[in-house]
Amino acid sequence: MYVEKNNVLSKVIFENCYLTDEEKIKLCEIASIVKPNYIKTSTGFGSGGATVEDVKLMRQHVCADVQVKAAGSIRSWLTCKEMIEAGATRIGCSASVKVLEEMMQEQAGN
C-alpha cells in the first residue's frame, strides 16, 4: 500500500449516523480503491455511534486490505465483542478501562 511506503497510517471517518446505506456502500467502494489503512464508523461526536449493522455493512463492502474501526457508543465488553464479531478489527472507545475490566471478569469466570 502507498501509505506503508511512507510509514504513515491513514484512516477515513464516515460519520455513519448522517449517511444512508447507499452512501456508506459508495464510500466503501471508494475506500477499496484508495486503500486507507482503515475506515471508521464515526468520530464519536455525531448524533450516533457505531452500530453492529454498520460494521457488518462496511466489512461486507470494503476490500479485505482495509480494516474497519468501530467507534462511538462502545461502553461495554458485550458491545465491543459484538463489533468484533461483526467484522471490526479496531475499536475506539473512551470507556476502555471499563471494557477491559469486564473482559477480564468474563475470562476469569470461564
Side-chain angles (χ1 to χ4, degrees), residues 11 13 16 19 26 28 48 59-60 66 71 74 83 86:
K11 68 179 169 184
I13 305 173
N16 284 340
L19 303 172
K26 184 63 177 176
C28 287
R59 181 68 275 154
Q60 181 181 3
V66 177
I74 302 171
M83 297 298 173

Side-chain angles (χ1 to χ4, degrees), residues 59-70:
R59 181 68 275 154
Q60 181 181 3
H61 292 281
V62 75
C63 68
D65 294 338
V66 177
Q67 296 182 53
V68 175
K69 181 175 182 176

Side-chain angles (χ1 to χ4, degrees), residues 21-73:
D21 283 351
E22 292 76 22
E23 290 168 329
K24 295 170 200 172
I25 291 168
K26 184 63 177 176
L27 288 172
C28 287
E29 292 169 354
I30 294 168
S32 294
I33 296 166
V34 177
K35 293 195 174 136
N37 292 90
Y38 58 96
I39 54 177
K40 186 175 167 183
T41 58
S42 69
T43 62
F45 296 106
S47 62
T51 66
V52 169
E53 294 77 19
D54 278 345
V55 171
K56 285 180 182 178
L57 181 87
M58 292 167 77
R59 181 68 275 154
Q60 181 181 3
H61 292 281
V62 75
C63 68
D65 294 338
V66 177
Q67 296 182 53
V68 175
K69 181 175 182 176
S73 302

Side-chain angles (χ1 to χ4, degrees), residues 9-22:
L9 292 177
S10 63
K11 68 179 169 184
V12 175
I13 305 173
F14 286 13
E15 207 66 88
N16 284 340
C17 59
Y18 301 120
L19 303 172
T20 66
D21 283 351
E22 292 76 22

